Amino acid sequence: MRYRRVPDETIRRLPKYLRALLLLMDRGQKTVSSVALADLMGGNPGRVRKDFSYFGGFGKRGFGYDVETLAGEIRKILRLNVVNKAALVGVGNLGRAILAFPSLKKYGFEIVAAFDNDPKKIGEKAGGIVIEHISQICDLEQRGVYVGIIAVPRQAAQQTADDLLEAGVRGIVKFSQGYITVPKRVKVITIDIAMDFARLPYYMPRSPSRAAAFRRTGSL
Amino acid sequence: MRYRRVPDETIRRLPKYLRALLLLMDRGQKTVSSVALADLMGGNPGRVRKDFSYFGGFGKRGFGYDVETLAGEIRKILRLNVVNKAALVGVGNLGRAILAFPSLKKYGFEIVAAFDNDPKKIGEKAGGIVIEHISQICDLEQRGVYVGIIAVPRQAAQQTADDLLEAGVRGIVKFSQGYITVPKRVKVITIDIAMDFARLPYYMPRSPSRAAAFRRTGSL
DNA sequence: CGCTGTGAAGTGCTTCACAGCC
DNA sequence: GGCTGTGAAGCACTTCACAGCG
């Protein structure tokens, strides 16, 4: 597929469209209009149509979009239509939470290996996976693993990234705080929930909201 | 403080500036230039200066920014300079991970109450907090709690939001999957790590990256 | 002289409005 | 008639480049 220049913002929304579509499928809804989708996602219907138009457009005029088809197309674009095997490094509290996180599987991710440097944890099982020693990170590529997940203390983040890349990983999800440097063709996604929390107080009203509590607007 | 119209994108970056500054403080660095900050954050130095200029500008010409002062100003803008008490609803795996998450405290958040509907969990301690029954969510406002954290199964998300708002909460961080509807003055931040994972395969190279593994560019 | 603060220019995303199909 | 697909207009953020101050 050759697409015309797709805005990063559009790519950022695709997973959210997919989430909405999965919800609609759960509800047994077969078809959806750009207006209904925009409503669910909180946005403009035109933007919904434009987002899909970058890939050629998936709808039928007069009908809307077939929910299942659209979900399939988005999965193809994002390459979630195949299983993406991942390796986790750092099996602390956070690592265990990630291993136990149910919805990753829904989006095609499967954590197939877990590494730690604590000798006491080696051989132990977490989330159905045997924990291996960090020194065993090598040839992840041969094991079909292209995604690395970093959940180590921040001092170890760079070393872990280097090890993962050396083992053949092509993309990284980093939960650790420290900064890391990687070759530019490797994509790193940083997840830090504190960054999201930190935006909240700025937007909170200074006076109570109870009075208005049941005048609802928009969905999230 | 009355600021001229501040872009949402700028607000979104403020927590990241703060994180970078905390790192610099750890390193004992007293002062920083817009170039150095842009370098750490991955962006343009002009943007750094413009971001701060929306609030009047915090630097000294010829010197740069005083790390500690700048961190303090950002905390004030984001209202992280006071303790933000939060209540967690849903003490499952995810809820416990949130309770154990260390860096929330660094940004001024303190989870002071935890609720669940499972009778077996009531009275139990998690993260140093006694778990209360959901029916006890009331007058959180009187307890000084303005932030609600939703970590319940998605079917219960809307009811939980209603309960939290009724109890006087003014802002919500939602980890649950379901959509919720709230009055528009209430800010809801949705965190779904699967959405971040789902962007990764799109950006990953199709061929191995090992060859280039040590030609590093940019920090994250 | 160095580095910030900022209007002005540039860029990219969003919204609009309507043509095009089903 | 209904709803998508899309060029064009509008808007917001980013980048530039230089004036201004320490």
Side-chain angles (χ1 to χ4, degrees), chain A residues 172-218:
Chain A
I172 288 175
V173 180
K174 176 171 81 74
F175 287 86
S176 304
Q177 300 266 326
Y179 292 96
I180 64 174
T181 305
V182 298
K184 68 172 168 306
R185 69 197 309 263
V186 176
K187 179 73 176 177
V188 177
I189 303 250
T190 301
I191 297 182
D192 185 348
I193 67 168
M195 298 297 97
D196 296 310
F197 270 82
R199 281 183 303 133
L200 187 59
Y202 178 86
Y203 292 105
M204 292 194 317
R206 245 75 72 251
S207 55
S209 60
R210 196 181 319 199
F214 294 99
R215 240 177 295 131
R216 290 180 196 155
T217 51

Side-chain angles (χ1 to χ4, degrees), chain A residues 99-145:
Chain A
L99 281 168
F101 199 67
S103 76
L104 287 184
K105 188 162 285 176
K106 279 206 309 201
Y107 295 91
F109 294 92
E110 192 184 348
I111 302 176
V112 299
F115 301 92
D116 204 290
N117 70 347
D118 182 347
K120 280 178 296 209
K121 291 181 187 163
I122 312 305
E124 190 185 309
K125 267 192 153 189
I129 298 168
V130 177
I131 302 174
E132 305 170 56
H133 189 263
I134 274 188
S135 58
Q136 302 300 309
I137 311 185
C138 50
D139 283 318
L140 286 175
E141 202 177 353
Q142 281 189 342
R143 293 161 77 173
V145 174

